[in-house]
Amino acid sequence: MEAWMIAGPFDLSSVTSATLEFDQYLRTEGGYDYCSAMVSTDGSMFDGLMWSGGSGDQWVHGTLDLSTVAGGPYLGASSVWVAFLFESDFVETDEGVYLDNIQL
């Protein structure tokens, strides 16, 4: 299973720093199911971070610093998309991923 949530484009042409911040509750099969927070300048090729496993039965705050993500530069770009991706296999099932309080 693969589920995307994509927003944008956002104009970051006058920005010198930016972060994608969010809260997540993660309960997945570690090493096989993943949640990713990513950015793109073309809306189709994304780079970012991924998590797998669990968040200890609690909400945790996540931050993606756009100045450190490979594939940029994103700061100063006039069109930037942000995305979350959830990927899961069929072997073990668990609750999945919840996202809240997403801010760019």
Side-chain angles (χ1 to χ4, degrees):
M1 179 253 181
E2 183 178 292
W4 286 84
M5 181 173 57
I6 301 173
F10 299 98
D11 183 358
L12 302 184
S13 59
S14 63
V15 171
T16 58
S17 68
T19 57
L20 177 62
E21 299 197 30
F22 53 93
D23 295 326
Q24 70 174 340
Y25 181 93
L26 183 67
R27 184 181 268 174
T28 67
E29 181 185 9
Y32 296 94
D33 301 336
Y34 299 93
C35 179
S36 302
M38 301 176 291
V39 292
S40 171
T41 55
D42 64 9
S44 61
M45 298 296 295
F46 287 86
D47 289 297
L49 300 174
M50 76 170 59
W51 298 268
S52 183
S55 59
D57 288 331
Q58 61 185 352
W59 285 89
V60 295
H61 189 73
T63 301
L64 181 62
D65 182 345
L66 274 62
S67 68
T68 63
V69 179
Y74 302 103
L75 305 180
S78 61
S79 295
V80 175
W81 286 260
V82 296
F84 289 91
L85 168 63
F86 177 64
E87 298 175 279
S88 179
D89 67 3
F90 60 89
V91 177
E92 275 187 47
T93 59
D94 213 323
E95 197 163 345
V97 177
Y98 299 89
L99 297 168
D100 199 5
N101 303 317
I102 300 167
Q103 296 181 351
L104 176 62

